[in-house]
Amino acid sequence: MRNSSKSRVKSHGSAAGTPRRGGKGSKPEHPRRQVDTYFEVLDKAYQHPTNRIIQWVAIPLFSFAVLGMVWMVPFPEIAFLKKHGYDMFLNWGSFFIAAMIYYYLRLAPTLSYAALLTVGVFSFFIVQLEYVEQAGGPAVWLVCAVLLLIALAALSVGKSMERTQAPFHTFWRLLVLGPIWLWHFVFRKLNIPY
């Protein structure tokens, strides 16, 4: 008889009636992720509606320009890869993409997949710019440098619209996390967990 009353106490919480974690009347606790903290800081720092519109254009433009410039840095020729025709798939942009996606994957896996999709689209357009350059058009690095300056100027103008000026490290975080920060708004709108 004593054993059955002890097992009842163990299965229903303490004898004093305190609820178990996750029991009736209490919410299950989820550990706060670092990415949520980053997004919260960005949300507080950048609230002006016009600045938000600027960011939706300038952040992808900035990311595209940075990727394009890194892509165009000369990569050493590796005979083995050239022999088998794989040399066109390996450049500094490949390493940049891998590092960026790995960092995003550590922060929020689902958002990193969306960022990878974005990088795929960017890569397509960078290759198109390479074809234009080969046909006598402007150099890819020059186009990307101009786009980078335009994006930074637009983001700076947007930053100046804010009521309180965010510190530089917050602006830097916007540049680094901008792609997944924008994607998180889409995911929230579609009610997709990230």
Side-chain angles (χ1 to χ4, degrees), residues 103-123:
Y103 177 63
Y104 290 164
L105 185 65
R106 301 274 316 242
L107 289 174
T110 312
L111 292 176
S112 75
Y113 304 142
L116 187 59
L117 173 68
T118 304
V119 166
V121 172
F122 287 173
S123 299

Side-chain angles (χ1 to χ4, degrees), residues 72-191:
M72 297 317 297
V73 173
F75 192 77
E77 191 174 292
I78 301 172
F80 171 76
L81 293 176
K82 190 168 179 106
K83 179 182 174 185
H84 296 289
Y86 295 118
D87 58 326
M88 70 179 93
F89 299 110
L90 190 63
N91 57 38
W92 292 116
S94 306
F95 292 102
F96 179 75
I97 292 167
M100 179 183 67
I101 296 301
Y102 176 73
Y103 177 63
Y104 290 164
L105 185 65
R106 301 274 316 242
L107 289 174
T110 312
L111 292 176
S112 75
Y113 304 142
L116 187 59
L117 173 68
T118 304
V119 166
V121 172
F122 287 173
S123 299
F124 171 79
F125 284 110
I126 291 168
V127 170
Q128 298 310 306
L129 284 174
E130 285 182 307
Y131 291 145
V132 170
E133 180 181 356
Q134 289 169 3
V140 177
W141 70 267
L142 183 60
V143 172
C144 290
V146 169
L147 293 176
L148 182 70
L149 291 175
I150 292 169
L152 283 174
L155 289 169
S156 295
V157 167
K159 182 177 181 272
S160 68
M161 293 177 178
E162 297 295 338
R163 193 176 310 160
T164 55
Q165 291 300 306
F168 180 74
H169 67 85
T170 304
F171 185 70
W172 175 250
R173 186 167 289 154
L174 174 71
L175 297 178
V176 172
L177 298 178
I180 61 170
W181 184 55
L182 295 179
W183 271 113
H184 108 278
F185 290 117
V186 175
F187 278 47
R188 277 195 340 205
K189 187 81 173 169
L190 298 174
N191 206 17

